[in-house]
Amino acid sequence: MPDSAIEDFHLTDYQTVWDLQKSLVQQRLAGDIPDTVLMGEHPPILTLGRGTHKTNLLHPSIPTVAIERGGDVTYHGPGQLIAYPILLLPVGKRDLHRYLRDLEAAIILTLGEFGIEGLRNPGWTGVWAQAPQSGELLKLASIGVAVKQWVTYHGLALNVCTDLAAFSQINPCGLQSEVMTSMQALLKQPISVNTVKPVLARHLEAVLKAP
């Protein structure tokens, strides 16, 4: 990802950043901007991907929006680190399955720097970790992407210090809400999005520009 840019949108409403993504996709297609990663947080919202089953909306009490990314319904809110790569996939890497695995790899490398072993869960997109006592797999990060003429948008959501109770409004990605966890819950100590953000940015840049 040479000549790439990281743009921090801090805490910004979903619609504003969604509109920005679509604008940046057009600019990237035209060659007017370099590959760009948007990073930040959203106020509470439920997003419904193309694969959403309405039965997974249990008792939503916050705004919902249907969007063009893949996947089912998920929650976004403060304490969750969002990254939206606006990336022109180069010839030779135009494989969305590989791109999803690259996003997972960047998250796993990030978690490792904080002493958390991030894991893949066969058959599921995203990043998981083992519960300390039971050993069951808990979900730390969700991924849902879209692509237009090989330019990616949407991306990943990593639960850093998210209010996990908010997931009870839905079956996130078709799963029981109890499967969701956060870095803070696993570490059993406070951690902030601003602490994790530069680490994830560094690993995204390294992974996405690798040959």
Side-chain angles (χ1 to χ4, degrees):
M1 199 166 61
D3 302 319
S4 58
I6 303 290
E7 293 190 15
D8 192 337
F9 60 82
H10 305 287
L11 180 64
T12 302
D13 70 273
Y14 189 88
Q15 184 68 52
T16 297
V17 180
W18 187 20
D19 289 342
L20 175 59
Q21 287 188 75
K22 289 182 281 190
S23 173
L24 292 177
V25 167
Q26 294 303 320
Q27 293 176 62
R28 187 67 189 92
L29 283 169
D32 294 336
I33 61 169
D35 292 332
T36 301
V37 179
L38 302 174
M39 302 187 77
E41 302 169 74
H42 293 305
I45 191 167
L46 301 173
T47 65
L48 285 62
R50 296 190 310 274
T52 294
H53 295 83
K54 294 300 177 65
T55 53
N56 288 326
L57 278 168
L58 302 179
H59 45 84
S61 60
I62 59 175
T64 65
V65 59
I67 57 174
E68 65 272 76
R69 65 158 171 80
D72 209 310
V73 60
T74 196
Y75 164 80
H76 295 312
Q80 185 185 73
L81 176 54
I82 303 292
Y84 298 134
I86 312 299
L87 171 69
L88 176 59
L89 292 173
V91 175
K93 293 183 69 175
R94 293 182 172 175
D95 178 340
L96 287 185
H97 292 289
R98 174 177 174 172
Y99 176 59
L100 293 172
R101 303 294 83 78
D102 283 347
L103 294 180
E104 290 170 349
I107 297 167
I108 289 169
L109 290 167
T110 298
L111 293 171
E113 293 205 24
F114 296 94
I116 297 171
E117 183 183 5
L119 302 169
R120 292 185 171 96
N121 188 357
W124 295 90
T125 298
V127 176
W128 306 63
Q130 281 191 314
Q133 303 300 325
S134 68
E136 74 171 308
L137 285 181
L138 302 175
K139 194 173 186 184
L140 271 167
S142 300
I143 299 173
V145 304
V147 63
K148 182 175 183 179
Q149 296 176 48
W150 295 113
V151 173
T152 66
Y153 57 123
H154 297 287
L156 67 89
L158 171 60
N159 296 330
V160 178
C161 51
T162 318
D163 176 10
L164 297 174
F167 286 100
S168 66
Q169 303 173 69
I170 58 174
N171 291 325
C173 300
L175 301 164
Q176 296 296 308
S177 62
E178 292 80 10
V179 81
M180 304 304 293
T181 192
S182 67
M183 294 176 69
Q184 183 163 283
L186 291 173
L187 294 170
K188 301 188 184 304
Q189 63 184 36
I191 185 170
S192 72
V193 166
N194 285 337
T195 299
V196 180
K197 191 180 295 178
V199 182
L200 179 60
R202 172 163 43 84
H203 286 301
L204 279 171
E205 185 160 16
V207 169
L208 294 178
K209 75 178 181 183

